[in-house]
Amino acid sequence: MAGRLASLLASGTAGAARKALDGVYAHTPPGVIKFNDVVIASGEGCWLTTVDGRKLLDMASGIGAVSTGHCHPAVVAAVQAQAAKVVHAQQNVVGAHTAMVDLFDRLAGVLPPNLDQYFLANSGAEAVDNAVKIAKAATGRPNIIAFEGGFHGRTLGAMALTSSKTIYRQGFGPTLAGVHIAPYPYCLHCKAQVAMGHAGYPTVTGERRHAEISCCGGPLESLEWMLATQSAPSDTAAIILEPILGEGGFVAPPPGFLAGLRRLCDKHGILLIADEVQTGAARTGLWWGHQHWLPAAPASPPTSASHGNAGGPDLLVFAKGIASGYPLAGVATRRELVPAERMPPGTLGGTYGGNAVACAAAAATIDVINNECLTDNARERGQQLREGLAKLAAELPPGLIADVRGCGLMVGVEFGGVAAGGGSGSSSPRFSTPKKGIASAVTKACAARDMLLLTAGARESVRFLPPLTISSAEVDKALGLFGEAVREVATKQ
């Protein structure tokens, strides 16, 4: 029998959705932010439909989780079939279930070959916590270094690594001990770039080439200094980073930064953890975000846990898009980092990790990404999106859109003040301070036009994070709606 709120919603009377939302919000802590006051009835592809019949173009895709689009037929079929067989066969109680076997086969085909040990969890934050546990156990060292602007989750451990906004840690201290936060190379706001008129970080463009960017080297120097002054290498278990900052603003690293970070880890016997929760599962146009900057790891890795991998990361955290919106996450790592003498049976686990239905969804997701060439679509539609945004920037007052950045279908736009010249060279500065709240105002104006878009980070940025199945026509639709929203907000301000 339907309850009061469901009956109210089903009545179809005027204001029913609003009243149902009020009922839900009455039971929801205010700390759970709600960006859009809608009740969703269904979804298909890149579109969500509300109970009132509004169709919303979803450029958020559940914060990147709905990689294959809402209710992809292959994923739906896999979930339905698995739910009729077994819903949950707990990973510590039984050795495996058939859906886990299928998923492990597929993970072996898409993960770096030297990362052949998989631990399954529920969420990105839980997987990050376990990656940190593995790194500490493998090295016998207590400290972890993360980067400014990084987002790694909201659990007590992952929260300590997160610095994209203060709100995520506000009021929850003291945080986990032994965590140090290093500067991240945010070239638009780098003082060295500002001093030379951003000559090393060129004008907004649809497809910024790495060769056009020259890094001052400051972030790696600061990291070396941190190892000399705050966390000795012999005390540092791992360095964790998102290959592209996610919630921190969709900031891609400059050429050479990840390779330099890999060399630094090798030099000091520090493990490198790639948090691919948002950048993974074909989001950036490659299966994993780090592959844009780090070479493929060798199939036969070093045998010592104290010496880094000559290629990619030592641990890789995945979640979000790996299962098309179903709660599955995991850590992939090198075999020699999880020996029984350091992590004996019982040190890893979790009730719902590797849930059978979630595993079936993940296996189907991997098949869809590969069979439908969604890495190619992410690259092509992402380029279309960035070029369209760069064209829009050129039509607007100079400096209003200060940056268009990202890889694949992970695209960020940062707003500036219209006083900026918008060019390169000392006489034409790239950036001046925007009016506070412009990014949020633009997302609200997009919502009024039936498009869902999210802000990103502590600066005035928005992020485009659509399903990987998005079409060329849907990208054009999103560009048109975004352009209208930005012009409306700019006129009001």
Side-chain angles (χ1 to χ4, degrees):
M1 186 175 68
R4 180 181 64 85
L5 293 178
S7 297
L8 175 65
L9 197 59
S11 70
T13 57
R18 178 69 259 179
K19 292 175 183 176
L21 275 176
D22 290 342
V24 170
Y25 292 171
H27 296 285
T28 304
V32 181
I33 192 169
K34 303 286 188 177
F35 293 111
N36 295 281
D37 291 331
V38 294
V39 180
I40 299 301
S42 63
E44 182 179 4
C46 294
W47 298 85
L48 289 168
T49 303
T50 72
V51 293
D52 299 322
R54 288 175 63 194
K55 288 195 68 177
L56 308 175
L57 180 57
D58 187 3
M59 300 301 286
S61 63
I63 317 184
V66 190
S67 53
T68 58
H70 294 283
C71 299
H72 190 287
V75 178
V76 170
V79 167
Q80 289 174 333
Q82 185 60 48
K85 296 175 183 176
V86 61
V87 170
H88 187 54
Q90 203 276 334
Q91 63 179 335
N92 300 113
V93 175
V94 301
H97 45 73
T98 56
M100 182 181 289
V101 172
D102 290 343
L103 176 58
F104 275 33
D105 275 344
R106 287 161 175 80
L107 289 174
V110 298
L111 283 162
N114 63 324
L115 305 185
D116 63 354
Q117 299 289 287
Y118 316 137
F119 170 70
L120 299 182
N122 305 307
S123 69
E126 184 187 6
V128 165
D129 281 354
N130 279 280
V132 168
K133 286 167 58 178
I134 292 169
K136 288 188 174 188
T139 61
R141 302 175 181 181
N143 293 349
I144 304 291
I145 294 176
F147 286 94
E148 287 179 358
F151 181 89
H152 300 285
R154 297 172 184 263
T155 58
L156 195 62
M159 177 187 72
L161 306 168
T162 293
S163 59
S164 55
K165 290 178 184 174
T166 56
I167 191 67
Y168 299 124
R169 297 197 286 181
Q170 182 178 318
F172 300 131
T175 58
L176 182 70
V179 172
H180 300 270
I181 307 295
Y184 183 86
Y186 201 148
C187 293
L188 182 64
H189 299 283
C190 171
K191 288 182 171 57
Q193 292 285 3
V194 172
M196 61 181 185
H198 287 93
Y201 191 71
T203 300
V204 174
T205 177
E207 192 67 26
R208 182 179 290 115
R209 296 184 296 274
H210 287 175
E212 297 175 324
I213 303 172
S214 58
C215 180
C216 66
L220 283 175
E221 291 176 7
S222 296
L223 189 55
E224 287 269 27
W225 187 242
M226 176 174 282
L227 292 170
T229 60
Q230 297 183 48
S231 180
S234 59
D235 286 336
T236 305
I239 296 175
I240 184 171
L241 88 162
E242 302 164 281
I244 299 173
L245 288 187
E247 212 284 328
F250 280 26
V251 184
F257 177 73
L258 261 67
L261 185 59
R262 176 72 269 178
R263 289 192 297 270
L264 185 65
C265 288
D266 291 344
K267 174 182 175 182
H268 296 296
I270 297 169
L271 300 178
L272 180 60
I273 304 173
D275 181 344
E276 295 266 16
V277 169
Q278 193 160 180
T279 54
R283 171 57 56 186
T284 67
L286 295 175
W287 249 102
W288 306 105
H290 75 268
Q291 293 171 333
H292 290 275
W293 297 280
L294 291 178
S300 300
T303 57
S304 171
S306 63
H307 290 84
N309 187 327
D314 302 292
L315 300 96
L316 185 152
V317 180
F318 56 88
K320 286 189 183 292
I322 197 68
S324 294
Y326 286 84
L328 187 130
V331 182
T333 187
R334 296 193 277 126
R335 183 176 299 271
E336 63 272 19
L337 299 184
V338 285
E341 58 268 23
R342 285 193 175 270
M343 300 201 76
T347 54
L348 295 174
T351 299
Y352 291 108
N355 171 268
V357 175
C359 282
T365 296
I366 293 172
D367 287 347
V368 169
I369 290 173
N370 288 334
N371 295 340
E372 298 186 10
C373 302
L374 295 188
T375 50
D376 293 341
N377 196 61
R379 284 194 300 272
E380 293 164 7
R381 300 286 73 76
Q383 181 173 347
Q384 176 189 354
L385 179 58
R386 288 188 298 275
E387 289 177 349
L389 291 167
K391 181 181 178 182
L392 174 64
E395 296 169 355
L396 295 168
L400 179 58
I401 290 182
D403 207 11
V404 175
R405 54 188 180 237
C407 293
L409 284 170
M410 187 173 182
V411 178
V413 172
E414 183 165 343
F415 296 101
V418 294
S424 60
S426 59
S427 64
S428 185
R430 276 283 308 280
F431 182 84
S432 67
T433 304
K435 291 187 178 180
K436 188 174 178 59
I438 184 173
S440 179
V442 168
T443 63
K444 288 181 173 62
C446 286
R449 291 166 169 79
D450 293 341
M451 183 172 81
L452 302 180
L453 191 68
L454 296 174
T455 59
R459 300 187 187 274
E460 296 296 330
S461 301
V462 297
R463 49 181 151 170
F464 288 82
L465 202 62
L468 305 180
T469 55
I470 193 169
S471 68
S472 176
E474 287 167 334
V475 170
D476 285 341
K477 175 78 170 177
L479 286 167
L481 295 174
F482 182 71
E484 290 177 12
V486 173
R487 288 184 173 93
E488 176 190 303
V489 171
T491 299
K492 289 180 178 178
Q493 291 196 344

